[in-house]
């Protein structure tokens, strides 16, 4: 079984952290959550409401981070998950988080990113020449990072599996698990 790292922080989208976390545990994988510091994180719930031009946000679950980005031993992990929400807006600026992401990309290890998660990949400089889905509002960020944005619930580009948001979970996680199984 694989050892999987989830990189996230406060204001991550609740479902986008907990669904892959629990799904990977269900498959028998070991999963750690990394954040700027090892503390209890506060997630948020993003929902889509008729008449709104964007998503709404409500408080979600609190959940502990297992390890701080600075203390992550990236080579000890087999795969990476980057959930969305608002956390990617600020964790992408953390140099330790960027180093973690670059390790997985350079090693060709499986990476799953959802919603705003590709913002972290863009900041780490690993989207150049890649095709990535993301929340549609992040399309320009993907393109400015040298990638090509695609509107897909589960786009696979080699070791990279991306999706738009939590409604894509079944297809996104199914595709990621296929890539992960092939890698380990």
């Amino acid at each position: 079984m694989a050892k999987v790292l989830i990189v996230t922080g406060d204001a991550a989208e609740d479902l986008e952290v907990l669904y892959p976390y629990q799904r990977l545990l269900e498959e028998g994988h070991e999963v750690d959550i990394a954040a700027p510091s090892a503390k209890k994180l506060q997630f948020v719930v993003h929902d889509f409401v008729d008449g709104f031009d964007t998503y709404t946000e409500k408080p979600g679950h609190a959940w502990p981070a297992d390890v701080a980005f600075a203390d992550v031993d990236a080579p000890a992990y087999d795969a990476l998950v980057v959930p969305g929400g608002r956390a990617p807006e600020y964790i992408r600026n953390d140099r330790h988080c960027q180093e973690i992401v670059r390790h997985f990309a350079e090693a060709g290890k499986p990476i799953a990113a959802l919603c705003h998660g590709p913002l972290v990949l863009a900041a780490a400089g690993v989207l150049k020449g890649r095709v990535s889905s993301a929340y549609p509002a992040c399309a320009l960020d993907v393109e400015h990072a040298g990638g090509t944005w695609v509107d897909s619930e589960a786009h696979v580009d080699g070791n990279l599996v991306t999706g738009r948001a939590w409604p894509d979970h079944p297809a996104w996680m199914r595709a990621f698990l296929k890539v992960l199984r092939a890698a380990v």
Side-chain angles (χ1 to χ4, degrees):
M1 296 275 90
K3 188 172 181 182
V4 182
L5 183 67
I6 297 175
V7 292
T8 194
D10 285 320
E13 209 291 325
D14 197 284
L15 288 172
E16 293 178 11
V17 176
L18 295 178
Y19 179 82
Y21 177 81
Q22 292 176 330
R23 186 69 186 88
L24 289 161
L25 289 175
E26 179 183 27
E27 288 285 320
H29 302 295
E30 182 180 341
V31 184
D32 288 331
I33 294 177
S37 63
K39 66 170 194 145
K40 186 178 272 189
L41 301 171
Q42 179 61 57
F43 300 145
V44 298
V45 174
H46 287 165
D47 204 357
F48 304 100
V49 177
D50 290 339
F52 275 62
D53 291 328
T54 189
Y55 53 84
T56 62
E57 182 174 285
K58 302 171 187 87
H61 291 91
W63 200 267
D66 300 300
V67 61
F69 292 149
D71 298 325
V72 168
D73 177 19
Y77 292 90
D78 303 300
L80 177 69
V81 176
V82 188
R86 284 188 298 113
E89 295 173 4
Y90 70 91
I91 68 169
R92 66 181 170 171
N93 298 312
D94 185 296
R95 72 176 176 86
H96 299 292
C97 184
Q98 292 174 11
E99 290 167 2
I100 291 165
V101 171
R102 279 193 290 273
H103 164 78
F104 285 91
E106 291 167 4
K109 295 178 180 182
I111 299 172
L114 190 68
C115 196
H116 287 69
L119 294 176
V120 180
L121 306 180
V126 302
L127 286 180
K128 186 171 183 151
R130 304 298 300 264
V131 179
S132 174
S133 187
Y135 188 68
C138 298
L140 285 176
D141 298 277
V142 170
E143 292 169 359
H144 285 144
T148 301
W149 180 79
V150 62
D151 187 5
S152 172
E153 66 181 355
H155 184 77
V156 179
D157 180 2
N159 65 317
L160 178 61
V161 181
T162 53
R164 297 169 298 207
W166 60 261
D168 296 341
H169 275 159
W172 174 70
M173 188 52 57
R174 191 169 35 253
F176 179 62
L177 287 171
K178 185 176 179 181
V179 169
L180 182 58
R181 286 183 194 114
V184 297

